[in-house]
């Protein structure tokens, strides 16, 4: 249960219970409303920014402290229209996004005051109309850089931002939003799943460090009629990638109008084991980049979402106004919310596309030839940095039926971390390879962690064990969970390798109990390797391994 509160508001509200009772209305576009004020350069400056050398007009996040009256007025208009959730005006409130304006140093202020203005608007409105709770969502945009895509067409392995840089930026943003009084955090308009995985990692760490957590919403953007994000994932693959984070809701927003969004929202409603949100644009933009869909036209389209039980949270994105939200509020009034789907606890992985292992599945094919310890050909290609040819090895495995590809760079003459990152970044640029999940295979934790920071899908770590003791096992497993991967556990402990049925059972049970009860690792994401060696090792005691 999440209790949402601030120092001024004595009442406590549980948003989860509200969502079980009714469909909540999210507000509409902030940028569309700001444009109506015809603001000039001086509106984006205050005493602290008066001599800033870069033009600031259009950096709307600054208005939370240069023109808080404008932002508060917009919040109040959406509340009057019937919004239950108000987003802070902090979409670009990260050090990464503000670097274009050389304003990294005021990111804390942007988020703190953005939360404060929204909080004041909600508290003020609720004093006037306490009929139901309203909530403040701290808006966290995707930044203007992508961790899965290269901005340089001549170097597909290059990245303009790292996982660690993203995680740091999102963590700092979240700290300020929480300090300013938000009730929940909204990671929105996600075009690259690796960006949001970095954000979720940061939030999980922050909640762990502070001992306090807030509900988290995640909303992706489908960029065209293919139904994929900009970084290439389909809807179910996206959900599998973020499902580890115990989300309040997952959904879709922006890029498309409600009509175009429908099939992908239906799919999200089918696969999601949490609440589902949708806030589409007011149709598609015209030739001038403007949105012509009226409030009543949009309401007629989203009525279908409600009648078919697709949503728990409904609002508007680009081009929407308080009038659009007013009509949406009328559509949802008295209507039953979507019931959360009962999701069977199967191993659900993803590359650009999803794969689910069910009791009816045949064995899962793992492509092992992209492993320097198992393929002399692949090792030679990697050592000689013939990465294009090395990629063809991965492509051959996928073409041959591999459902997961195992990547291993454990060789004494290689910089394992650097090579793992380079190869995974190159794979990400090849959709015919990256459509399948990745297994990151290493006996060295730093290489595993470096790999986890490169994959936007839900992959598998191969492997961890109790060999180095329980504390290290818990540390590594906890990080794997935060990175959103499944895990292979080897039958090793502090006393060595399991070499009998009894020892295999003992170590596996101990590992499972630690993972599930202490780390809270999903049981369906745990895979055991019981060290059954083939007769071909030539070691006499291994001859009866398969029998024991």
């Amino acid at each position: 249960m999440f209790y949402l509160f601030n120092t001024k508001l004595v009442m406590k509200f549980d948003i989860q219970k509200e969502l079980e009772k009714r469909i909540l209305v999210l507000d509409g576009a902030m940028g569309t409303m700001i444009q109506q004020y015809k603001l000039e350069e001086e509106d984006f400056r205050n005493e602290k920014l008066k001599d800033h050398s870069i033009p600031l007009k259009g950096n709307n996040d600054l208005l939370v402290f240069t023109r808080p009256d404008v932002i508060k007025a917009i919040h109040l208009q959406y509340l009057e229209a019937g919004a239950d959730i108000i987003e802070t005006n902090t979409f670009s409130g990260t050090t990464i996004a503000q670097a274009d304006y050389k304003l990294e140093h005021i990111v804390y202020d942007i988020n703190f005051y953005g939360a404060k203005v929204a909080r004041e608007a909600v508290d003020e409105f609720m004093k006037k109309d306490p009929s139901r709770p309203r909530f403040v969502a701290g808006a966290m945009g995707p930044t203007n850089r992508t961790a899965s895509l290269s901005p340089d067409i001549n170097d597909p392995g290059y990245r303009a931002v790292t996982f660690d840089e993203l995680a740091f930026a999102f963590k700092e943003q979240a700290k300020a939003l929480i300090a300013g009084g938000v009730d929940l955090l909204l990671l929105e308009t996600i075009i690259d799943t690796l960006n949001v995985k970095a954000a979720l990692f940061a939030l999980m760490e922050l909640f762990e460090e502070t001992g306090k957590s807030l509900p988290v919403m995640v909303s992706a953007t489908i960029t065209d009629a293919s139904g994929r994000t900009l970084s290439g994932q389909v809807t179910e693959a996206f959900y599998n990638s973020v499902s580890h984070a115990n989300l309040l809701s997952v959904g879709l927003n922006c890029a498309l109008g409600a009509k175009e969004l429908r099939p992908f929202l239906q799919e999200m409603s089918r696969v999601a084991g949490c609440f589902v949100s949708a806030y589409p644009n007011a149709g598609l933009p015209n030739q001038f980049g403007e949105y012509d869909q009226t409030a009543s036209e949009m309401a007629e389209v989203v009525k279908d979402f409600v009648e078919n039980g697709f949503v728990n949270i409904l609002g508007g994105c680009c081009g929407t106004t308080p009038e659009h939200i007013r009509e949406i509020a009328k559509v949802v009034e008295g209507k039953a919310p979507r019931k959360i789907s009962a999701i069977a606890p199967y191993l659900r992985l993803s590359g650009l596309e999803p794969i689910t292992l069910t009791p009816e599945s045949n064995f899962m094919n793992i492509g092992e030839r992209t492993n320097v310890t198992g393929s002399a050909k692949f090792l030679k290609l990697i050592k000689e940095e013939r990465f294009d040819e090395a990629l063809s090895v991965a492509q051959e495995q996928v073409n041959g039926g591999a459902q997961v590809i195992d990547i291993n760079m454990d060789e004494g003459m290689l910089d394992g971390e650097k090579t793992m990152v380079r190869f995974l970044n190159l794979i990400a640029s090849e959709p015919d390879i990256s459509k399948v999940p990745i297994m990151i295979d290493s006996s060295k934790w730093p290489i595993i962690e470096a790999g986890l920071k490169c994959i936007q899908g839900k992959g598998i770590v191969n492997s961890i064990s109790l060999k180095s003791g329980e504390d290290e096992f818990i540390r590594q497993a906890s990080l794997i969970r935060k990175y959103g991967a499944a895990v292979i556990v080897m039958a090793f402990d502090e006393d060595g390798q399991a070499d009998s049925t009894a020892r295999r059972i003992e170590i596996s049970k101990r590992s499972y109990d630690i993972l599930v009860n202490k780390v809270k690792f999903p049981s369906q994401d745990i895979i055991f390797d019981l060290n059954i060696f083939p007769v071909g090792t030539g070691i006499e005691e291994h001859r009866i391994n398969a029998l024991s």
Side-chain angles (χ1 to χ4, degrees), residues 91-158:
F91 184 84
S92 298
T94 59
T95 50
I96 293 169
Q98 289 298 320
D100 288 350
Y101 295 96
K102 297 186 178 179
L103 290 177
E104 298 96 323
H105 60 289
I106 63 165
V107 159
Y108 187 92
D109 287 352
I110 287 173
N111 290 285
F112 178 80
Y113 287 105
K116 190 171 179 290
V117 170
R119 179 83 271 159
E120 287 177 358
V122 167
D123 291 355
E124 181 180 308
F125 188 80
M126 283 193 63
K127 285 179 183 176
K128 216 170 54 169
D129 178 11
S131 60
R132 65 181 191 275
R134 281 84 168 180
F135 304 93
V136 177
M140 303 171 71
T143 82
N144 51 2
R145 299 180 197 173
T146 55
S148 293
L149 303 169
S150 172
D152 183 352
I153 59 172
N154 297 312
D155 186 359
Y158 170 71

Side-chain angles (χ1 to χ4, degrees), residues 462-535:
N462 183 16
S463 59
I464 63 171
S465 74
L466 286 161
K467 188 175 183 178
S468 298
E470 190 169 310
D471 288 346
E472 181 63 8
F473 182 73
I474 289 172
R475 186 186 78 83
Q476 291 178 0
S478 297
L479 285 166
I480 292 168
R481 180 174 170 269
K482 289 173 189 169
Y483 286 116
V487 68
I488 293 175
V489 179
M490 298 287 286
F492 280 86
D493 67 5
E494 299 90 337
D495 297 323
Q497 175 185 314
D499 55 5
S500 67
T501 299
R503 282 277 289 150
R504 291 187 183 104
I505 292 172
E506 173 197 348
I507 293 173
S508 297
K509 184 180 186 307
R510 181 183 168 206
S511 300
Y512 180 88
D513 288 344
I514 292 169
L515 287 170
V516 172
N517 299 323
K518 293 186 178 180
V519 182
K520 308 302 180 187
F521 212 98
S523 59
Q524 65 268 26
D525 290 347
I526 304 168
I527 304 161
F528 288 100
D529 185 336
L530 300 179
N531 305 332
I532 307 298
F533 292 104
V535 174

Side-chain angles (χ1 to χ4, degrees), residues 2-7 9 15 75 85-90 110-120 122-123 134-140 173-186 203 206-207 213-216:
F2 299 104
Y3 282 109
L4 312 175
F5 63 93
N6 69 90
T7 54
L9 201 59
I15 193 169
H75 289 326
I85 302 172
I86 295 296
E87 296 180 60
T88 58
N89 182 46
T90 55
I110 287 173
N111 290 285
F112 178 80
Y113 287 105
K116 190 171 179 290
V117 170
R119 179 83 271 159
E120 287 177 358
V122 167
D123 291 355
R134 281 84 168 180
F135 304 93
V136 177
M140 303 171 71
Q173 182 179 29
K175 285 178 185 177
L177 288 169
I178 292 169
V182 301
D183 299 315
L184 58 149
L185 296 167
L186 170 56
L203 295 183
L206 179 62
F207 296 161
S213 64
L214 291 182
V216 176

Side-chain angles (χ1 to χ4, degrees), residues 257-548:
K259 181 180 178 182
E260 295 78 17
L261 196 68
R262 187 195 191 281
F264 315 120
L265 180 63
Q266 182 177 8
E267 177 71 353
M268 185 68 83
S269 179
R270 181 185 69 83
V271 302
C274 59
F275 297 114
V276 168
S277 68
Y279 49 115
N281 293 344
L284 297 176
N286 60 29
Q287 64 268 35
F288 304 109
E290 298 170 343
Y291 294 86
D292 300 323
Q293 190 173 62
T294 67
S296 59
E297 289 170 343
M298 184 175 183
E300 189 61 33
V301 181
V302 300
K303 185 190 296 184
D304 174 63
F305 299 174
V306 175
E307 291 174 347
N308 283 283
F310 293 162
V311 293
N312 303 97
I313 301 167
L314 188 59
C317 203
C318 301
T320 59
T321 65
E323 190 55 39
H324 289 82
I325 298 308
R326 184 172 288 106
E327 293 302 312
I328 289 172
K330 291 176 184 176
V331 167
V332 306
E333 188 174 1
K335 297 299 193 321
R338 165 187 172 273
K339 298 296 182 185
I340 295 179
S341 306
I343 306 298
Y346 299 145
L347 176 63
R348 299 173 188 273
L349 306 172
S350 61
L352 298 183
E353 296 171 9
I355 182 169
T356 302
L357 193 64
T358 71
E360 293 74 38
S361 302
N362 204 338
F363 59 84
M364 183 177 282
N365 295 314
I366 310 294
E368 288 272 3
R369 306 313 294 167
T370 43
N371 183 330
V372 296
T373 66
S375 170
K377 174 185 175 181
F378 185 71
L379 173 59
K380 186 173 189 293
L381 293 173
I382 293 296
K383 277 187 171 180
E384 295 175 1
E385 297 188 357
R386 292 155 61 188
F387 286 108
D388 285 347
E389 292 174 71
L391 284 172
S392 71
V393 175
Q395 184 66 71
E396 287 168 8
Q397 291 184 107
V398 176
N399 292 345
Q403 294 159 290
V404 176
I405 53 173
D406 178 278
I407 315 294
N408 182 296
M409 298 295 177
D410 285 6
E411 209 280 340
M413 298 300 289
L414 292 175
D415 182 333
E417 291 179 54
K418 181 180 177 182
T419 309
M420 177 67 82
V421 168
R422 179 69 177 171
F423 193 63
L424 288 175
N425 284 349
L426 289 170
I427 282 177
S429 69
E430 300 289 339
D432 288 339
I433 303 172
S434 57
K435 67 182 182 181
V436 303
I438 302 294
M439 179 181 286
I440 299 170
D441 182 356
S442 180
S443 60
K444 301 171 184 176
W445 174 254
I447 296 177
I448 289 174
E449 189 165 22
L452 286 168
K453 293 175 181 179
C454 295
I455 58 171
Q456 67 166 319
K458 180 178 179 181
I460 305 171
V461 167
N462 183 16
S463 59
I464 63 171
S465 74
L466 286 161
K467 188 175 183 178
S468 298
E470 190 169 310
D471 288 346
E472 181 63 8
F473 182 73
I474 289 172
R475 186 186 78 83
Q476 291 178 0
S478 297
L479 285 166
I480 292 168
R481 180 174 170 269
K482 289 173 189 169
Y483 286 116
V487 68
I488 293 175
V489 179
M490 298 287 286
F492 280 86
D493 67 5
E494 299 90 337
D495 297 323
Q497 175 185 314
D499 55 5
S500 67
T501 299
R503 282 277 289 150
R504 291 187 183 104
I505 292 172
E506 173 197 348
I507 293 173
S508 297
K509 184 180 186 307
R510 181 183 168 206
S511 300
Y512 180 88
D513 288 344
I514 292 169
L515 287 170
V516 172
N517 299 323
K518 293 186 178 180
V519 182
K520 308 302 180 187
F521 212 98
S523 59
Q524 65 268 26
D525 290 347
I526 304 168
I527 304 161
F528 288 100
D529 185 336
L530 300 179
N531 305 332
I532 307 298
F533 292 104
V535 174
T537 62
I539 301 173
E540 183 62 29
E541 51 266 37
H542 289 173
R543 291 175 61 83
I544 61 169
N545 254 295
L547 298 177
S548 62

